[in-house]
Amino acid sequence: MRASIIYGALLGLSTFTKLCAAASSCAPSLPPRPTVVPFPYNHGKPHAVSPGRTKTCYVHAFGNGQDDSQTIFSAAKACNNGGTVALLDPKYIIGQALDLTFLQSVDFIIKGEISFTEDINYWLQASFKYTYQGACLFWQFGGKDVNIYGGGVINGNGQVWWDRMVTNTTLQRPILVGVIGLQGGTFSDLSLSNPPNWFHFVANSSDLIFDDVTMTVLSNNSNPSKNSDGWDLYRSDAIVIQNSYISNTDDCVSFKPNSTNVVVQNLRCTGSHGISVGSLGQYLGETDIAENLYIYNTSMGNASDGARIKVWPGAVPGSNSTSSGGGVGIVRNVTYNGMHDTSVDYAIELTQCYGQSNATLCNMYPSKMVIEDIVFHDFTGTSKKYDPTVGTLVCSNPTACQNIVATNINITNPSGKVAQWTCRNVDKSALAINCV
C-alpha cells in the first residue's frame, strides 16, 4: 500500500504530493496514535472506532516568530478525510483565528509547542464569539472523528491578558481549546499552559475522550490568572475525562448546562474550585439539565472545594437582569465516588443560592432547579478554612433537593474537633455526616 505524503508549500496555500513505497523512506517517522479507552468506567455508550489514516501533511514552521496559521489551516484542508496533520517542529506560532470545524476523519500530531500571539487587539476582534458566558476562542475543532495527540504543548500566553485585566476587568479573553460540534474523537498525551481564560470549552459535542492531559497555569508577577477552568462542558453528551493532572485557579471540571452521560476519573487537581456541577439556572427562560455524571477516584489539593454542585436561586422580581438566576431544570443522578482532599475549604459544597449573597432573598425566591439522586461516597482527607466545619449542603427549600446521600465520609480538620457540616433543607437521615 502506498502512503501519500503531502508537504505544505512556503506560502501554505498550495501543496504537492510525493508517493513513497513506505512513508518512513522519505518522511520523518510518526508516533503511533495512542490507544485510548475509558477505564475503569464508561458512560455506557459505544465509542466510535477511528480507522487508520492514509495520508500525511507535514507542517514546517516558518520560525523567527512568523505566523504559521495559514500553513496549519492548509494542511488541515489537504489532509481532511483520512489524513494526519503532523506538527513536528519545535515551535509554531498562531496569530490568526482558525476555524477547524470542517474536519472529517483526521489526526493532528503535535510534538513541539503551539503558541498564540499576544496581540490582544486582534484577538478581541477576530476570536470566535459565543453567547454563553461570553465565551470566545482562539481556534475551534469540530466535525467527526478527530484525534489530537503527540506529547506537545499548547501555550495560551495568558500573562498579557491577566496584566490587561488590572485596568479592564471585563476583558473578553479567549479560551485555549474550543471543541465545537465534534462527534467522536480523542485528545491525549498533551500539555496545555497559561490560557487567558478556560483551558477547554466543549460544546454541542459527543463521544469524546480526554486522556493523559497535563494543564498548568502560573503567573510570573502579582497579576494572577483568571477563570482557568480545566474543562467546561456545555450541551455535550457521552464524554470521558481521565488520567490527567490540572494545576489551576478555578473549576477543575465544570458541567455546564445540558451536560449528560459524563465520566470523570483518575484526576489530580491542585488549586482549583473543585469538580463542579454548574453553575446552572443562571439564565431566565432557559432550561438546564445535568444528569448521569460519574466522578471517580479524584484528588483535590489546596482547593476551595472538592465536590461542588452550584445552582442559582429564583429571579428577584423587578430585576432587569436575565442572567442572575431564575432558570429552570434539573440536576439528576450524579455520583462522586472516591475523592481524597488535602487542605480544601469545603470537602463538599452543595448550594442553591449561587450568585446570591443575600440569604433572605434566596429563601424568598428559591431556586427553580431541582437537585435529586445525588451520591457522595468514600471521601477522605482534610478541610481547614472553616474549621471545624468541613462542608455545606444548603438547598433553598425542602422540596428542591431530593434523595441526597452521603456515605463513608471521613474528612478531618486541623483542630482535631469533630467535623461539622452545615445542612439546610435536606433529608439529614440520608447523610452519614455530623449535620449542625
Side-chain angles (χ1 to χ4, degrees), residues 106-374:
V106 62
D107 290 3
F108 288 77
I109 299 176
I110 303 171
K111 290 194 69 176
E113 178 183 272
I114 293 177
S115 181
F116 292 89
T117 59
E118 299 179 351
D119 187 347
I120 290 178
N121 291 333
Y122 168 79
W123 291 113
L124 287 175
Q125 179 271 325
S127 60
F128 303 104
K129 309 296 194 301
Y130 289 88
T131 302
Y132 182 74
Q133 293 191 341
C136 67
L137 309 172
F138 285 126
W139 58 349
Q140 51 188 7
F141 295 87
K144 185 176 182 180
D145 181 23
V146 177
N147 302 290
I148 303 176
Y149 58 93
V153 176
I154 303 174
N155 180 1
N157 284 317
Q159 189 69 58
V160 295
W161 297 86
W162 311 330
D163 293 345
R164 180 70 65 88
M165 287 193 72
V166 173
T167 56
N168 182 1
T169 59
T170 61
L171 185 67
Q172 190 174 26
R173 294 157 291 130
I175 294 163
L176 187 55
V177 177
V179 184
I180 309 298
L182 179 57
Q183 315 307 321
T186 62
F187 295 73
S188 61
D189 188 21
L190 296 169
S191 294
L192 278 59
S193 66
N194 292 339
N197 202 332
W198 306 339
F199 280 95
H200 295 89
F201 181 42
V202 182
N204 301 313
S205 298
S206 66
D207 187 21
L208 303 180
I209 304 175
F210 296 85
D211 181 85
D212 189 20
V213 181
T214 298
M215 298 184 291
T216 56
V217 62
L218 181 65
S219 174
N220 62 22
N221 60 32
S222 60
N223 302 324
S225 67
K226 299 288 187 179
N227 311 108
S228 56
D229 293 14
W231 286 270
D232 283 58
L233 308 183
Y234 177 64
R235 295 180 176 176
S236 292
D237 180 71
I239 309 293
V240 176
I241 299 171
Q242 63 182 21
N243 306 325
S244 297
Y245 171 78
I246 303 92
S247 177
N248 69 340
T249 58
D250 213 302
D251 293 333
C252 189
V253 180
S254 179
F255 305 103
K256 301 294 189 183
N258 304 309
S259 298
T260 56
N261 301 301
V262 181
V263 172
V264 173
Q265 55 194 352
N266 306 326
L267 297 193
R268 292 185 298 131
C269 306
T270 298
S272 83
H273 291 179
I275 296 182
S276 301
V277 180
S279 64
L280 303 174
Q282 178 179 359
Y283 295 98
L284 188 66
E286 296 287 336
T287 300
D288 293 346
I289 297 170
E291 66 179 349
N292 304 331
L293 312 177
Y294 194 82
I295 301 95
Y296 173 74
N297 188 34
T298 58
S299 67
M300 204 69 58
N302 298 311
S304 66
D305 297 275
R308 192 180 191 192
I309 298 176
K310 47 184 179 178
V311 303
W312 290 71
V316 176
S319 172
N320 293 324
S321 174
T322 59
S323 61
S324 299
V328 301
I330 191 166
V331 177
R332 178 169 51 204
N333 191 27
V334 178
T335 297
Y336 291 86
N337 180 9
M339 179 174 285
H340 182 72
D341 297 323
T342 303
S343 297
V344 300
D345 297 348
Y346 284 134
I348 299 171
E349 182 179 8
L350 185 156
T351 178
Q352 288 188 318
C353 295
Y354 185 75
Q356 175 56 272
S357 58
N358 188 321
T360 300
L361 285 178
C362 184
N363 292 331
M364 289 177 60
Y365 308 104
S367 178
K368 297 182 181 297
M369 294 285 305
V370 175
I371 301 176
E372 65 182 24
D373 302 332
I374 311 298

Side-chain angles (χ1 to χ4, degrees), residues 17-141:
T17 301
K18 178 179 180 181
L19 295 180
C20 307
S24 60
S25 68
C26 64
S29 61
L30 299 177
R33 182 199 300 161
T35 301
V36 179
V37 295
F39 184 83
Y41 294 103
N42 198 357
H43 41 63
K45 296 187 175 184
H47 180 61
V49 176
S50 184
R53 306 310 189 206
T54 59
K55 54 186 175 181
T56 303
C57 298
Y58 292 88
V59 179
H60 298 292
F62 288 124
N64 298 316
Q66 296 183 74
D67 186 5
D68 299 302
S69 304
Q70 186 58 57
T71 315
I72 294 171
F73 183 82
S74 297
K77 283 285 189 178
C79 268
N80 204 24
N81 297 301
T84 297
V85 176
L87 296 101
L88 309 182
D89 290 348
K91 190 173 183 65
Y92 296 87
I93 301 295
I94 293 181
Q96 300 175 54
L98 290 180
D99 187 355
L100 303 174
T101 54
F102 56 83
L103 301 174
Q104 298 290 321
S105 299
V106 62
D107 290 3
F108 288 77
I109 299 176
I110 303 171
K111 290 194 69 176
E113 178 183 272
I114 293 177
S115 181
F116 292 89
T117 59
E118 299 179 351
D119 187 347
I120 290 178
N121 291 333
Y122 168 79
W123 291 113
L124 287 175
Q125 179 271 325
S127 60
F128 303 104
K129 309 296 194 301
Y130 289 88
T131 302
Y132 182 74
Q133 293 191 341
C136 67
L137 309 172
F138 285 126
W139 58 349
Q140 51 188 7
F141 295 87

